[in-house]
Amino acid sequence: MRIDRIRLLVQALCFVFLIYGGLLGLSIGTAIPTMSCIYAEGRGGSCFLYPFQRFLSLPWSSLFGSVAAAFLIYLGTFFIWALVFGKTFCGWICPLGFLQDLLTKIREAMGIDGSRFAWATRDRFQWVKYALLVLLILLPMGIGNSLLGLPRFTPDLAVPFCQICPGKPFIPLFYGDTSHILIDFSSLTKIIMTSLSMLIAGLFLAAGFVKRRYLCAFCPMAALLSLFDRIGFVGLRKKGEACTRCGNCFRACPMEIREIADLRDRKHMVTQDCMLCLRCIEVCPEDKALQATLLGFPVFSASAEGFLKRQARTAVLPESGNKSVKNADPGTIPSEH
Amino acid sequence: MPRTGKPAVFFLLFLCLLLIPFSAPADPGFLFLTPGPEMRRSGGGDSQGGGHGSGMGLERKKGEEGKTGAEGKGHPGAGGPPAKAETHREGAGKKEDGKTDTDKKDTDKKEKRAAMSHPAHFSLLLGTPPEIRETALPELLSAEAAILRPDLSGQTLQPREEGSAIRIRDAALIQGTYHLKASLKTEDGEARRYRLFTQASMRNTGEKADPPAETGKDRPKNPLPWFSIEDLSPDPGGNFAKIHRKYTGDTLPLKIRLGDTPLPGLPVTLTTGGGWSQTRTTDEAGEVTFTLIKESFHDRGVRKQPIAFYVTAEIRSTHPLFQKETEEEHPSEGGSGGPSSPEKEEILRTGLALSVHPTPLDWESRATGFYALVLVTLTVALGTALRRRRRKAGAWI
Amino acid sequence: MITGKKGDTPHPLNPADADTEARVARRLSLHLAMSVREIFDAISLEKNRPASMAPFDAVFRNFADAPDQILPATGRKKIGIYCMAVPEELIYAAGALPVRLCAGSSDAAEAGEALFPDVSCPMVKAATGFTRTGVLSMYRDCDLVIIPTTCDWKVKLGELLSRHVPVMMLSVPKLKAAESSRRFWYAEIRRLVQALEKVTGKRITRKRLRTAMGLLHEAQQEFRIFQTLRMDDLCLIRGRDAAAVANAWFYMDAADWTHAARTLNEELKERKAQSLATTPPSAPRILLTGSPVVFPNWKIPDLIENAGGALVCDELCSSGRLLWDMACIDEPLFEDMLDALADRAVLPCTCPVFTDTEDRRTKLFRMIQDYKVEGVVHHVLKGCHPYDMELRPLEAKLAAAGVSQLKIETDYSPEDTEPLRTRVEAFVETLKGRRLRMGKSA
């Protein structure tokens, strides 16, 4: 079975669990490194960023004083989640990622071709997620404390990233809650933040329709999780000697990571954009050129045989079939030494 | 007991004539009872904004209990109401220190309740909404005001001048609902006579009193049928909570009556402090419903403080129902002050003042947000489609 | 842009009357038939040849016996292509038959050399000779000939051929790494699609493209199996025969070729089970790389194997590389599939016409490891400057890694066979000795 299909199934299950799990009383905590939006009331686990921003908006006297222990425990929980699962949160678990993948599937079913970033554009966008991460740390701090002698920021800037995250308007929709699609006129800050929210939501729908995983290029959660690229339990390894630089992996990558195709001298291929969807391995035709590893042990390797099997099952046309050879008995490539 | 009888009326008229050069406007407007400053202060949360905007989160971790209570409200910077409530309780408690404490707990409870009770303190206002201010208009001193307490005891109250306003007071000590009524007879420059009515209610958490002995309506009699506006808001708790807080977006069902007769087909106007108004007509049962929404948004920098809404209605004494009512109630009396005399037409007006707390409906626009979303989506989609068309078939460079 | 048309437009430099042309054509036809028959006579003396080579042999026998029947009988249009840079899936999707016209006949090179400099690519000379004389009908029968501008010779070949056949040039970017190059190549592929649709009169639709890609995938699967079988310690098939199998792809329909290759693979697996090898285990394993080796120019493979070497693999665009790289269907949508084909045609290509050698180097090292290669033979055709230019640095790198190498610079003519034989035999002996010295088991 194609890994891509399995991944979509896992994403769907995680989506149902994360968005509706609370209705059954299930919860996996509040430090989950994925967009399990807190604005969904019956959620099965909370996005890490909301309590993170709340913690950071406390005055430093309490953040480093009375709640320091709680904060450290909270960060530690996040650390463990990120270490064990790492970027697989992006590719296999994130509800927003699931929604974007659904949009892509709808587009493919409609027969509309996708769009790709120009290389320079994609390179230029890479700093945005780090900038957002820095902002979501500094702005809440400025609310509870005076940064560099500046006056304290308005409380309307509370949880600044949550206010612009596309999860806020869209995930409550799955509860029939449209109350987050609005413009708040009560202050200039609110007008700007809610307008940004609508802008990003609109981009999510329109750009996410034509470009795969459009918003994942800007997600600060990816920036956070990329701290764990090298040390995470799940890894992606490349064997440069086996690579022909055919570019299949780059073509299949939703995040358009060129390094996976271009570089032969690098072993750890989980880059800052990578979401460990493993599509690159699926389309690599050279044996063992790319491998997914768990704690260093390969769990899924590229192979010519696997490639051909999966390709034969991709978009098989019912009427003409792909069997044009008289003897319908595809041989198997014998195992190498 | 409000005064009846001719002499009082003539005296009032004389006073009005005297005061014409000083204060009488062409049209006196309407009479309103609004909570006074002392009630506002202790009202509990009136000064702090109501709505919490767009969802400030419900998730709490154990560790977060260390945060201030304000955190819990969603505004890290807002520490107002709990603090204020504390100080008030402390202040009130000091007054009660002189009591003897036989049973400490009971007395403490009583003290608490007594401390939480606040006297009835209302301002009388006269004017045409929305331009109504608290002014010490002397003619208001001649208004007749009465209070009906939870134990069904009633009392006439005398309006007093307090600083720059005319106010009435009652040391409401019993727990329960108090109803106040006020009326004023006045004339304008062209000798048109007006009768202005208004009413208000308040809820007090004071000492618990025994329930009233009789359930009958032992209200003080009015010389004339009372032109009343009654708030028919649902009261599921049966504790008159409906008079506590009105929020933007709430519906306000009203019943307009003259005495006990509902008045159908009467135009009723709802005006906001900002000047927006809406007029509706009562149905056959004398009922009308308004929705407490302003027409336009707050400007930027909205104060999340309550807004004054005014409900007004007017009827002329030549109205058939009025005639009927007067004859029914007071068939013998020729009419106090001659309201039924055909030559002298009086204008009866009633008013109800409400304090409406803003909710996010006042500063959030779901429609704008939705249209913004649709606009952005369409723009981006269209832009992308155009770009792709231009790039098609070999124009990749 | 399609230039030229079918027929004969005399060249201003070499008007050559009809008699001369006829004489040249007759001579070529005779000599070609002679050399082909010679090859098959030699083949018939060989033992241990897999029987499944028959369909491939049949194709090549027709060069001598029935030149008109080299291509399968079909009503489809024939599209001639040069080089691997043209994705055949597009031609299949347009309902036509792709014919690779890279030529290997020394006689044809003689016939075509009048218009060429002294030292020039023999393949291009041969192609010109065939086209000019029309001895093999497929050179003249093509409804369109597509020439990618990979090397300089092909750049100028277009004008020469356009006197006889309609020609379309395809501009291949030399720099693979830049985005602008790739986008340019995508645009070129789309231009190719338009030309094909115009010539064949059929639209290339998403379904047809998908079917064509599936067709090629099957062929590529068999090819991979074939190449993987050659990694075996036993040399299950002669290098020349392996080159012939791949070479036959030029002229066969994809489905036929896949079927024949599948049968061959089955037989090779049986041979492996029976430990039936074509060469003794003492034969040193040799890799052949460089300029293409096209039928009937089996000079180098025969030299190597007759000298006792085992030609286990080759890195030639005419055989070992031919069906190796596979395009992936990522999103099965039209534009994406076109781009995938475009990428497959250029990105993994190790031809020296591109600016970087790293791809070829990596591939060679990998093959050396996978096939347990002991010696590398560099085959450079005279006038083939790209391969010549890459040769020295490549030799140095391989030598630094301890690989034994032999460089052969030659052309199609059989005259230098004997001097080469001495060199090749010496090389094979060196390898054998090295093996003994290193203690490898025979």
Side-chain angles (χ1 to χ4, degrees):
Chain A
M1 210 189 156
R2 283 208 57 181
I3 299 284
D4 215 32
R5 295 262 169 84
I6 298 175
R7 187 171 66 89
L8 197 66
L9 183 66
V10 171
Q11 278 181 305
L13 290 173
C14 288
F15 184 83
V16 169
F17 177 81
L18 286 174
I19 305 298
Y20 298 113
L23 298 174
L24 293 173
L26 304 165
S27 171
I28 49 171
T30 58
I32 317 298
T34 189
M35 268 42 190
S36 170
C37 192
I38 55 110
Y39 295 106
E41 283 113 34
R43 61 195 177 283
S46 297
C47 175
F48 163 75
L49 290 177
Y50 179 84
F52 186 58
Q53 289 170 94
R54 281 257 167 247
F55 266 117
L56 289 172
S57 49
L58 293 176
W60 282 323
S61 53
S62 41
L63 184 64
F64 299 127
S66 46
V67 301
F71 188 47
L72 283 175
I73 293 173
Y74 180 70
L75 288 181
T77 318
F78 167 77
F79 186 87
I80 294 173
W81 277 117
L83 187 69
V84 172
F85 289 96
K87 285 288 187 61
T88 53
F89 266 113
C90 295
W92 295 68
I93 302 174
C94 182
L96 284 182
F98 174 61
L99 291 177
Q100 286 173 93
D101 285 344
L102 276 185
L103 274 178
T104 303
K105 281 271 179 290
I106 292 171
R107 170 176 64 74
E108 280 182 29
M110 289 167 70
I112 299 176
D113 280 286
S115 288
R116 288 173 185 259
F117 283 139
W119 295 4
T121 312
R122 175 243 164 195
D123 291 344
R124 258 186 260 133
F125 279 163
Q126 290 196 311
W127 64 268
V128 172
K129 48 178 170 314
Y130 292 103
L132 282 177
L133 183 63
V134 164
L135 278 176
L136 78 84
I137 291 176
L138 285 183
L139 287 177
M141 276 191 180
I143 297 174
N145 311 282
S146 168
L147 295 177
L148 297 175
L150 291 168
R152 291 196 188 179
F153 300 151
T154 158
D156 282 343
L157 271 180
V159 286
F161 179 71
C162 291
Q163 290 191 48
I164 62 171
C165 179
K168 180 159 168 291
F170 289 125
I171 291 184
L173 286 179
F174 288 89
Y175 277 89
D177 177 13
T178 60
S179 69
H180 296 281
I181 299 178
L182 48 77
I183 306 280
D184 186 336
F185 289 92
S186 59
S187 68
L188 181 61
T189 311
K190 277 289 184 186
I191 291 180
I192 293 174
M193 295 303 267
T194 47
S195 304
L196 274 177
S197 173
M198 289 298 104
L199 175 73
I200 291 173
L203 276 177
F204 179 90
L205 289 177
F209 185 74
V210 290
K211 161 85 186 79
R212 296 187 290 195
R213 293 273 185 143
Y214 175 76
L215 284 181
C216 296
F218 311 107
C219 180
M221 193 72 87
L224 266 180
L225 286 174
S226 67
L227 297 170
F228 298 84
D229 281 342
R230 284 289 187 101
I231 57 175
F233 286 7
V234 184
L236 187 66
R237 304 268 170 87
K238 178 165 175 176
K239 194 166 131 189
E241 310 86 61
C243 173
T244 56
R245 288 217 279 220
C246 66
N248 282 0
C249 48
F250 175 42
R251 171 159 305 282
C253 181
M255 305 302 295
E256 295 177 25
I257 298 169
R258 285 201 311 284
E259 290 85 347
I260 187 86
D262 287 350
L263 300 177
R264 279 205 181 100
D265 51 6
R266 199 160 110 177
K267 202 172 156 213
H268 296 272
M269 274 299 173
V270 185
T271 57
Q272 53 165 304
D273 282 328
C274 178
M275 54 177 205
L276 280 177
C277 63
L278 308 183
R279 296 183 102 233
C280 48
I281 305 180
E282 282 196 291
V283 297
C284 177
E286 304 297 331
D287 293 327
K288 297 211 179 80
L290 285 171
Q291 284 182 329
T293 60
L294 188 62
L295 289 167
F297 297 110
V299 289
F300 178 45
S301 298
S303 68
E305 192 180 336
F307 169 82
L308 285 161
K309 277 207 188 112
R310 285 185 285 264
Q311 289 287 300
R313 277 194 222 113
T314 305
V316 177
L317 304 165
E319 66 274 45
S320 53
N322 283 331
K323 297 289 165 226
S324 47
V325 186
K326 290 136 202 168
N327 274 9
D329 181 22
T332 50
I333 302 176
S335 57
E336 294 177 37
H337 42 274
Chain B
M1 297 284 284
R3 291 193 231 167
T4 55
K6 288 184 197 176
V9 174
F10 277 119
F11 177 66
L12 282 168
L13 285 173
F14 178 65
L15 274 178
C16 289
L17 283 165
L18 278 181
L19 293 166
I20 281 171
F22 298 105
S23 62
D27 182 335
F30 294 81
L31 185 69
F32 292 102
L33 273 171
T34 56
E38 273 178 39
M39 271 188 67
R40 258 177 275 155
R41 219 181 297 136
S42 57
D46 253 19
S47 50
Q48 196 62 30
H52 50 75
S54 17
M56 287 310 214
L58 317 158
E59 186 71 26
R60 294 275 163 259
K61 250 190 82 102
K62 283 183 205 156
E64 290 181 27
E65 276 163 0
K67 296 188 207 166
T68 60
E71 235 3 87
K73 266 220 181 105
H75 280 286
K84 282 190 183 168
E86 294 270 359
T87 43
H88 175 77
R89 256 178 257 143
E90 274 180 33
K94 282 183 192 154
K95 293 178 198 162
E96 308 288 337
D97 263 350
K99 280 194 179 169
T100 47
D101 310 285
T102 42
D103 193 10
K104 196 102 195 316
K105 260 200 173 176
D106 274 351
T107 336
D108 276 352
K109 261 193 182 173
K110 274 190 182 176
E111 281 184 12
K112 261 195 183 169
R113 286 204 171 275
M116 289 202 288
S117 85
H118 47 76
H121 188 226
F122 281 84
S123 300
L124 267 176
L125 305 173
L126 185 69
T128 310
E131 293 92 30
I132 298 187
R133 302 278 174 274
E134 273 187 3
T135 37
L137 292 168
E139 45 184 17
L140 282 174
L141 291 169
S142 59
E144 298 168 353
I147 190 166
L148 178 69
R149 299 205 186 85
D151 58 358
L152 296 181
S153 66
Q155 188 187 340
T156 315
L157 303 172
Q158 179 59 39
R160 274 199 295 263
E161 183 171 338
E162 287 178 23
S164 61
I166 307 289
R167 301 215 169 100
I168 52 177
R169 277 182 183 274
D170 184 61
L173 296 168
I174 312 168
Q175 181 192 70
T177 313
Y178 292 74
H179 299 279
L180 284 102
K181 285 185 168 160
S183 67
L184 178 65
K185 280 188 249 184
T186 183
E187 263 190 21
D188 67 359
E190 290 150 43
R192 260 203 296 262
R193 295 159 77 172
Y194 295 90
R195 250 179 230 283
L196 311 173
F197 301 87
T198 186
Q199 54 268 308
S201 307
M202 62 163 260
R203 182 145 177 85
N204 192 34
T205 44
E207 271 185 54
K208 223 182 181 127
D210 299 321
E214 325 102 77
T215 52
K217 291 191 180 170
D218 190 23
R219 292 211 193 100
K221 277 264 182 226
N222 302 320
L224 284 170
W226 194 269
F227 188 21
S228 71
I229 301 178
E230 188 187 334
D231 183 353
L232 294 177
S233 299
D235 188 23
N239 57 356
F240 236 84
K242 63 185 177 181
I243 60 167
H244 264 198
R245 285 253 181 120
K246 292 254 181 291
Y247 288 101
T248 317
D250 284 350
T251 51
L252 184 67
L254 300 167
K255 189 159 183 148
I256 315 295
R257 276 197 297 242
L258 188 59
D260 286 327
T261 322
L263 292 172
L266 184 72
V268 183
T269 308
L270 175 74
T271 314
T272 73
W276 172 79
S277 76
Q278 190 185 37
T279 304
R280 294 228 177 121
T281 321
T282 57
D283 60 12
E284 305 87 46
E287 291 174 9
V288 66
T289 307
F290 289 96
T291 315
L292 297 169
I293 288 188
K294 299 191 300 35
E295 205 169 49
S296 61
F297 286 119
H298 277 299
D299 296 335
R300 283 189 274 123
V302 66
R303 299 170 308 147
K304 296 185 179 176
Q305 294 197 4
I307 324 148
F309 276 59
Y310 305 98
V311 182
T312 52
E314 183 179 291
I315 186 177
R316 303 211 168 229
S317 56
T318 47
H319 198 277
L321 278 172
F322 179 80
Q323 303 281 347
K324 198 171 116 194
E325 185 67 25
T326 348
E327 276 167 21
E328 275 181 15
E329 287 231 352
H330 311 277
S332 53
E333 290 183 15
S336 352
S340 53
S341 40
E343 328 82 49
K344 275 243 167 90
E345 185 198 39
E346 277 192 341
I347 299 172
L348 275 73
R349 288 182 177 167
T350 180
L352 179 70
L354 298 169
S355 180
V356 175
H357 295 261
T359 53
L361 274 169
D362 271 355
W363 58 78
E364 284 176 4
S365 169
R366 295 224 196 153
T368 313
F370 179 71
Y371 292 136
L373 178 63
V374 167
L375 186 71
V376 169
T377 308
L378 286 178
T379 311
V380 174
L382 211 64
T384 311
L386 282 171
R387 253 189 124 189
R388 279 157 63 124
R389 268 204 94 80
R390 283 201 277 158
R391 275 208 194 148
K392 240 189 158 185
W396 275 103
I397 304 164
Chain C
M1 270 178 47
I2 300 171
T3 53
K5 57 183 190 330
K6 288 190 197 176
D8 276 314
T9 316
H11 195 280
L13 281 183
N14 189 8
D17 51 59
D19 280 341
T20 323
E21 294 294 320
R23 199 162 20 99
V24 169
R26 216 172 26 245
R27 188 163 163 229
L28 172 58
S29 164
L30 278 170
H31 283 210
L32 179 66
M34 268 169 54
S35 43
V36 170
R37 285 197 192 105
E38 235 181 81
I39 289 171
F40 281 102
D41 287 340
I43 284 175
S44 59
L45 294 174
E46 286 170 18
K47 304 182 195 61
N48 256 342
R49 202 155 175 267
S52 322
M53 285 297 297
F56 305 107
D57 289 342
V59 171
F60 293 118
R61 261 187 232 274
N62 282 335
F63 272 71
D65 301 334
D68 298 333
Q69 292 173 20
I70 297 172
L71 296 180
T74 172
R76 289 183 280 175
K77 303 248 180 188
K78 299 180 189 61
I79 308 284
I81 57 179
Y82 284 88
C83 197
M84 276 173 65
V86 181
E88 285 134 334
E89 288 90 336
L90 293 178
I91 300 169
Y92 280 115
L97 179 69
V99 184
R100 181 117 168 240
L101 296 174
C102 297
S105 162
S106 60
D107 303 303
E110 267 183 50
E113 68 187 359
L115 300 164
F116 282 86
D118 292 337
V119 179
S120 40
C121 171
M123 192 213 74
V124 159
K125 281 196 286 192
T128 313
F130 275 132
T131 311
R132 201 175 142 206
T133 57
V135 164
L136 294 181
S137 56
M138 60 186 170
Y139 282 85
R140 291 274 201 127
D141 281 353
C142 288
D143 297 285
L144 179 67
V145 172
I146 303 169
I147 306 179
T149 60
T150 36
C151 66
D152 286 343
W153 299 109
K154 291 209 203 59
V155 167
K156 303 319 287 182
L157 180 65
E159 274 187 322
L160 291 171
L161 294 186
S162 64
R163 302 188 172 278
H164 308 283
V165 279
V167 166
M168 176 183 169
M169 303 300 291
L170 207 61
S171 187
V172 179
K174 307 281 188 176
L175 182 71
K176 292 191 221 174
E179 186 185 13
S180 49
S181 299
R182 299 209 196 166
R183 294 223 184 265
F184 171 74
W185 180 233
Y186 297 157
E188 283 290 283
I189 289 291
R190 278 155 179 82
R191 190 169 67 88
L192 176 63
V193 164
Q194 282 173 357
L196 284 173
E197 286 179 343
K198 192 166 153 201
V199 165
T200 59
K202 289 215 182 97
R203 281 214 51 164
I204 296 180
T205 63
R206 185 178 149 196
K207 284 201 183 96
R208 291 207 181 110
L209 196 54
R210 173 70 187 91
T211 312
M213 287 182 83
L215 196 67
L216 264 277
H217 276 155
E218 285 174 15
Q220 285 159 346
Q221 183 173 32
E222 293 309 319
F223 188 75
R224 286 250 173 175
I225 295 172
F226 182 65
Q227 294 291 77
T228 315
L229 283 168
R230 292 177 75 197
M231 291 181 195
D232 197 71
D233 287 339
L234 294 172
C235 184
L236 299 167
I237 186 169
R238 267 184 80 121
R240 181 212 61 223
D241 289 337
V245 168
N247 210 168
W249 170 261
F250 288 16
Y251 313 111
M252 290 172 85
D253 188 27
D256 297 333
W257 186 92
T258 312
H259 180 62
R262 186 165 294 148
T263 319
L264 178 62
N265 285 336
E266 295 299 317
E267 187 180 342
L268 289 180
K269 283 179 199 157
E270 280 173 28
R271 288 167 74 98
K272 179 175 168 173
Q274 296 165 18
S275 299
L276 208 55
T278 55
T279 57
S282 61
R285 299 169 72 89
I286 293 176
L287 177 147
L288 177 64
T289 177
S291 309
V293 166
V294 183
F295 182 85
N297 180 30
W298 291 149
K299 181 167 74 175
I300 303 295
D302 277 340
L303 273 178
I304 294 172
E305 296 196 296
N306 292 344
L311 186 60
V312 291
C313 59
D314 60 78
E315 198 257 337
L316 304 172
C317 61
S318 50
S319 43
R321 275 199 261 140
L322 189 55
L323 286 164
W324 182 261
D325 299 303
M326 303 189 267
C328 76
I329 301 169
D330 169 43
E331 283 185 2
L333 301 168
F334 189 68
E335 303 290 329
D336 208 58
M337 287 196 283
L338 274 189
D339 291 345
L341 288 176
D343 278 344
R344 194 281 316 269
V346 157
L347 292 185
C349 188
T350 56
C351 186
V353 297
F354 297 104
T355 52
D356 83 68
T357 319
E358 199 203 318
D359 287 340
R360 184 162 172 229
R361 239 188 347 256
T362 311
K363 188 159 185 132
L364 282 173
F365 276 115
R366 185 171 156 220
M367 288 177 91
I368 290 169
Q369 197 179 12
D370 286 343
Y371 291 86
K372 289 173 282 212
V373 165
E374 295 165 69
V376 171
V377 174
H378 294 277
H379 168 241
V380 176
L381 288 172
K382 288 192 180 131
C384 184
H385 294 141
Y387 274 106
D388 212 353
M389 278 220 56
E390 266 198 0
L391 185 57
R392 278 151 210 79
L394 193 60
E395 264 190 312
K397 277 253 157 62
L398 288 173
V403 179
S404 308
Q405 296 167 80
L406 174 70
K407 173 186 163 184
I408 297 179
E409 195 176 334
T410 180
D411 64 5
Y412 282 178
S413 66
E415 288 152 11
D416 57 359
T417 311
E418 290 314 310
L420 283 178
R421 193 191 303 280
T422 322
R423 289 183 62 205
V424 171
E425 282 177 353
F427 180 60
V428 169
E429 289 304 319
T430 318
L431 292 176
K432 280 187 184 165
R434 197 160 166 236
R435 191 198 271 196
L436 281 173
R437 269 201 315 278
M438 296 177 105
K440 282 205 181 115
S441 55

